[in-house]
Amino acid sequence: MLLTNERNSMKTFENYESQVRSYSRSFPTVFKKAKGYKIWDTDGKEYIDFFAGAGALNYGHNNEKMKQKIIDYILEDGISHSLDMGTVVRGNFLKKFNEVILEPRGLDYKVMFPGPTGTNTVESALKIARKTTGRQNIISFTNAFHGMTLGSLSVTGNEALRRGAGVALNNTVSMPYDTFLDDNQSIRYLKRFLEDTGSGMDLPAAIILETVQGEGGINAASFEWLQEIEKLCRRYEMLLIIDDVQAGCGRTGTFFSFEPAGITPDIVCLSKSISGYGLPMALTLIKPEYDTWKPGEHNGTFRGNNLAIVAATEALSYWETKTFAESVQEKAQILKMRFEKIVEDYPELKADARGRGFMRGIACGEGKEQYASKICAKAFEKGLIVETSGPSDEVVKFLGSLTIDEEGLRKGLDILEEAIEEVVKQ
Amino acid sequence: MLLTNERNSMKTFENYESQVRSYSRSFPTVFKKAKGYKIWDTDGKEYIDFFAGAGALNYGHNNEKMKQKIIDYILEDGISHSLDMGTVVRGNFLKKFNEVILEPRGLDYKVMFPGPTGTNTVESALKIARKTTGRQNIISFTNAFHGMTLGSLSVTGNEALRRGAGVALNNTVSMPYDTFLDDNQSIRYLKRFLEDTGSGMDLPAAIILETVQGEGGINAASFEWLQEIEKLCRRYEMLLIIDDVQAGCGRTGTFFSFEPAGITPDIVCLSKSISGYGLPMALTLIKPEYDTWKPGEHNGTFRGNNLAIVAATEALSYWETKTFAESVQEKAQILKMRFEKIVEDYPELKADARGRGFMRGIACGEGKEQYASKICAKAFEKGLIVETSGPSDEVVKFLGSLTIDEEGLRKGLDILEEAIEEVVKQ
Amino acid sequence: MLLTNERNSMKTFENYESQVRSYSRSFPTVFKKAKGYKIWDTDGKEYIDFFAGAGALNYGHNNEKMKQKIIDYILEDGISHSLDMGTVVRGNFLKKFNEVILEPRGLDYKVMFPGPTGTNTVESALKIARKTTGRQNIISFTNAFHGMTLGSLSVTGNEALRRGAGVALNNTVSMPYDTFLDDNQSIRYLKRFLEDTGSGMDLPAAIILETVQGEGGINAASFEWLQEIEKLCRRYEMLLIIDDVQAGCGRTGTFFSFEPAGITPDIVCLSKSISGYGLPMALTLIKPEYDTWKPGEHNGTFRGNNLAIVAATEALSYWETKTFAESVQEKAQILKMRFEKIVEDYPELKADARGRGFMRGIACGEGKEQYASKICAKAFEKGLIVETSGPSDEVVKFLGSLTIDEEGLRKGLDILEEAIEEVVKQ
Amino acid sequence: MLLTNERNSMKTFENYESQVRSYSRSFPTVFKKAKGYKIWDTDGKEYIDFFAGAGALNYGHNNEKMKQKIIDYILEDGISHSLDMGTVVRGNFLKKFNEVILEPRGLDYKVMFPGPTGTNTVESALKIARKTTGRQNIISFTNAFHGMTLGSLSVTGNEALRRGAGVALNNTVSMPYDTFLDDNQSIRYLKRFLEDTGSGMDLPAAIILETVQGEGGINAASFEWLQEIEKLCRRYEMLLIIDDVQAGCGRTGTFFSFEPAGITPDIVCLSKSISGYGLPMALTLIKPEYDTWKPGEHNGTFRGNNLAIVAATEALSYWETKTFAESVQEKAQILKMRFEKIVEDYPELKADARGRGFMRGIACGEGKEQYASKICAKAFEKGLIVETSGPSDEVVKFLGSLTIDEEGLRKGLDILEEAIEEVVKQ
């Protein structure tokens, strides 16, 4: 009934929804159905999805295996909502997450359900760091994005979003991300501020970072930089918090984005694709020595979204062997080469191919920033969903599902290139 | 498979989950199935539920009508996750919410999807108030609970939770809630602080309040107090934010808790039972003149949890006629009388019956605070799930589902009284 | 030369000085000479001074004994400026202050030179309290005035002054001063906030207060209230800071204003009349157990204003016997009775006589606030310098020098009454 | 009497003064008398003074001309303390300051008396910048020193001093001073943070800086850097605040330290040597368009320290011709060459000669930091007063009076070199 008899025009959203709505402006249609890497609107128009719910749908839309588990669970009247009470589903997930993810990687973390969104896990991580160290300051990085609640916003770089707070955002300091300055100056700069006791930077409780900045413009940190950051954390007894909300859950080709850098964060933030089915869920992983919470000291109603956890448990199956990760890495290689070729073929863009794994972007150069928005708009017309990122929306960002097949990938990339060509020609 | 073959002992949670877990301590068993006002653990033990997922399950567990809609939607491969893109489901909800809830009540609000949890809607409300007025200060009240992220925590009263922040919580001032001082002194006090320009209280952007404080100990504000607060908001051009996350969605016997007080908030925060099926969802309702957001100025990945929205749309059907509200009010009367009788019958508790509608508590008097925890523990043994609230956990809190039948209600109350009797006798 | 050949008109100040200037607006003339309780302008007009440099000239203008000491010291090329180096003058003062002030009163304080102004001593006191307790919050009171630098301003009540900061003033909470609410409600209110762990008031490092609020409208706290405050400080391990900048140095009839209340503050702030000659100087008195400063942790260039210290040492002589204090108390009695009579005789003022010792005011009642400014302006015309205070400038404030003789006092009071009569008649 | 009959041992300070005392530890003797560049202790030992009251005695101790003016003024019973009332002395100063200092330099500033210390002028400057721009953030620099009250401390770099606050210091961001990074990277870095809207640095109200950092280690900014800073202020509509408290009043060879850089600050902070006689006084110079204060919006008891203003008026005479400035510049050249030679002659120090004008230092290199303290201690033994500065106290700092003659300068430098030689040899 919902899908067949009713038609919503964009008017509904214009009339009733707050001005804050954004994606219904970038993609001005009403969507109705989705499967894998495809999505359809009420006119039946099909789109290839290079957006994947802003990275929350790494396993594609309505993944069949998860779908079945969810339906079975609902039909059996399994607990849908449990806060952090003991449930069969939560127990199963905890065990499987340890077996499939943590143990094989030699990681020892306590698992916290901090509430079902990215900003919940980030806020909980900041609390732990400050409680544990007794320090108030947190280092975040230029063009970081960590969330919209006050604590997370205070470690987010974007000026327009920060202004939305209406209060001064404090107890944080923004340092240059690896790619913000040339020639490894970023790490040297941070070292200078830490080592000079007159630098005016109060000793921080933690450093929080994304190994690849998604909203900030698909900036990928080098492994050397990440290793240096880890060393500084050890030297100055700061906690290392990796916000793997967007770059984690396989997005860069390994479950955690930081694996190939050989670093071990003190706290890891996961959300977006952790449930796999696009259902709200988040985790905070905490080294046991920092798990000093008092019971209920951080809480929240929707910590126990069991439908999401059912899907999440199934999603872990992708990581039981290496096959899945390898397939992502292979497709990532195709993507990388195609993006590099596009950059070469369209010098008018003054572009730069960026990113790591299956998280990549084409950054249009100075004076060409507005190209990115035009390209995405044109691609949408042609049946491809892809969005921009970066401080000036100057980057065309690929976040397609990890399960996309090569055909879908190439088809989407062809549309993207057509869009680029048309925009450049205008 | 999930429900039949596997057994999780509490060990799983002790071993793998963070120390922050709390409800699995109060209710030390593993739950597997739920329906209406009943819930079962893996041993097959049945519990009557006077907790209702901390108020997120006003329509009972696994409500049949919603369940069917959700399953149909999943089977049709409806969009599960959409951020704030246009979807059929979001459009339908917006229209029905206007038709069934807002228009009949003469309310004109723009609807914002601020992210799927209570703290998301509160943080968005604080942002609007500060942006709109250009002021930074917010008035909240003693024993308020608004959430765990930094902005919401700064308007929350509980000392232990506030300390969890690890930073000073600022730009807020806590004023006495209606019930905090005797003889209407609370409102006089607030007036004095507002009218005296030397009071040291910077003129606030907004007043945020719960009409009945849930976590704070089931404190119900009088309608007169609420009306006085509204007047002060108008006089000093402060926005009035009603956090109806727990008291709204029918909990007090009307859809919004503030209806019988005859006030019109500038912003309303909804979450918990708005989806009805226990799925994460929240709304921020904003008077059009304050809907000054720039597109995307507040955002979040899980704003478009379409399964929750499907359930939420169905849940609105309960409000199409007056029947449902009236039935809640009738049962509330039974509850009220029973609680008052218990207070009378057990003078040893030095207790006080509190609350409004279907949100009530028995507050154990000074020196008897620990009775409340003992009563809840004893009730759990006997097959009743009920929790405490209040600054010293001194209140036994009833939050049973609104759909519970009289038999279930009486049965649960009988268990509760047995538990009280045993505790008092010890 | 300076005094005889040159004439400055008010034009000079209008042309060259910042708009922030204020007293040259209230008293629009150019002053040239002063002695005791008299002051003359360049036209030779004589004024009786009931203002005494805002309480910095308790021993009158250009006190003969101090004048001689200062001149001798300058002529001998004594060190004029020494920071906190050892100087003969600083050593002499420290010893005499202990002998004459601290020891006879059974007080044991370490003496800190925190910089030469009231706000320096207040800022140092707040630092000590926060360092010592590890807490950030400070309780101050409605209509408190503690200074204009950011820390002191954050414990000051006046809205217009607070706005001048241009940033949110945080880590403080304003509680009702004794006289702010009727019937001892102020202390009950504060107790409720301290005892209820859900009050939203973070446990404070200290309470800071003036025993008689000067700028806030000559509000005198009762001794009972002060004693209750001290008890709360002990119970909750908060430091008690008495800001005796205006009320101290004999203003209320004893050296410290808190003596008759029988309380012992942990920290005392002194400035204004501590030097006695109107020269910038301030002291912070610290109980030895809280003197946990590291060397130089608080510093400042003008901590060692030796001319001021020479005068301050001489000023202590007034306190070697009881004669001086008794004479102040006697004159205070005259002042009190006269103010009470005026209030009675001019019911049109709806006034209230307030204060303690030689720090008194006539507070014009509601709707009559502007009378106070008119009275002071009229008095100025008639040769009396007296200023207003209070949140609405509604109080005519007496701060005449402690050394004024009865004739001068009566003469000034007569002028004041004439001014009142004329204003009331208009 | 004061100087002849009494002897204070260091015991007095140890017994009665707070642990915060510092200079009486570095220079452990009791001083009694001073003249020009010489100072004597109670044992009659003579010291050459290369410290000059931390830069407050640019015209030497007890300058004869000022001394006479002060004594005359006191003898005539001139107003000693006036707040900001009109006085002959304040009027004279305002006119002469305009004639001698501002007009000849083409500067148009309104003069504010913000209270008598450096931190008062800095706090007032920050207020103006925030009020004027409506922004809260302030850029300060690494190793900056601006004062000890909360606002000034928040723009000060030193970690130990910042910790003294006991609260988080917020609404400020510390950027690298010119000399903090090599190769002009400091300015490039600041530009990057300003131009990238995702940098996480909220647009500041102002940049505050010292052209030569005194406490921070005698770091002299290049004129190019200062000019670039000014340009950035214009581009981003930030106010440029020059804190000339230590570097101003002739210290670098011109009245204002920024003159040779050709920049025009929006606000200038002056204190220390503005009175010339070591008496507490400060000024805030404000471009007329930013002089938007309401009357009394910033105030303070000791704004009108007329003895200081009498001396300050006389001090301006030094600037009526170019002779004085030229003599300082000549002596500065001698000092510069001698310091450079010392650095060359004692390679063991791994030292660096720094500074500008008559504000110079010898910075001992890495691993040799503790040499500086030893050198100063040794010099003190030998009759020279000189102190260290810098984040690790690694710099021997020269701040001798501008009026010192060549003989005194050379004699002091000889002692310093002897001390260095002995320390190096140990």
Side-chain angles (χ1 to χ4, degrees), chain C residues 6 15 17-18 90 92 291, chain D residues 17-18 90 92 110 291:
Chain C
E6 290 208 39
N15 290 345
E17 196 171 0
S18 159
R90 289 181 65 242
N92 288 346
D291 182 29
Chain D
E17 196 171 359
S18 160
R90 289 182 64 244
N92 288 346
K110 292 288 179 179
D291 181 29

Side-chain angles (χ1 to χ4, degrees), chain B residues 75-134:
Chain B
L75 287 173
E76 288 174 338
D77 283 326
I79 315 278
S80 66
H81 161 84
S82 67
L83 297 111
D84 69 351
M85 296 192 289
T87 67
V88 173
V89 158
R90 291 182 64 242
N92 287 347
F93 174 78
L94 284 168
K95 285 189 293 189
K96 192 164 175 186
F97 189 76
N98 262 275
E99 283 162 29
V100 175
I101 303 296
L102 297 183
E103 281 174 24
R105 287 165 181 78
L107 295 170
D108 183 18
Y109 290 125
K110 292 288 178 179
V111 177
M112 174 185 181
F113 294 83
T117 74
T119 201
N120 294 130
T121 169
V122 169
E123 294 260 354
S124 71
L126 301 182
K127 285 184 183 179
I128 297 163
R130 285 164 167 156
K131 266 177 56 83
T132 301
T133 60

Side-chain angles (χ1 to χ4, degrees), chain A residues 365-410:
Chain A
E366 212 172 326
K368 305 293 172 185
E369 294 91 344
Q370 77 283 26
Y371 273 27
S373 299
K374 287 180 188 163
I375 290 165
C376 292
K378 183 63 72 183
F380 178 72
E381 279 174 40
K382 293 174 175 293
L384 177 71
I385 294 184
V386 62
E387 73 157 345
T388 61
S389 81
S392 311
D393 287 326
E394 77 279 18
V395 182
V396 177
K397 176 169 87 168
F398 173 89
L399 273 187
S401 68
L402 309 183
T403 53
I404 195 170
D405 55 25
E406 282 197 30
E407 191 196 329
L409 179 59
R410 290 191 199 278

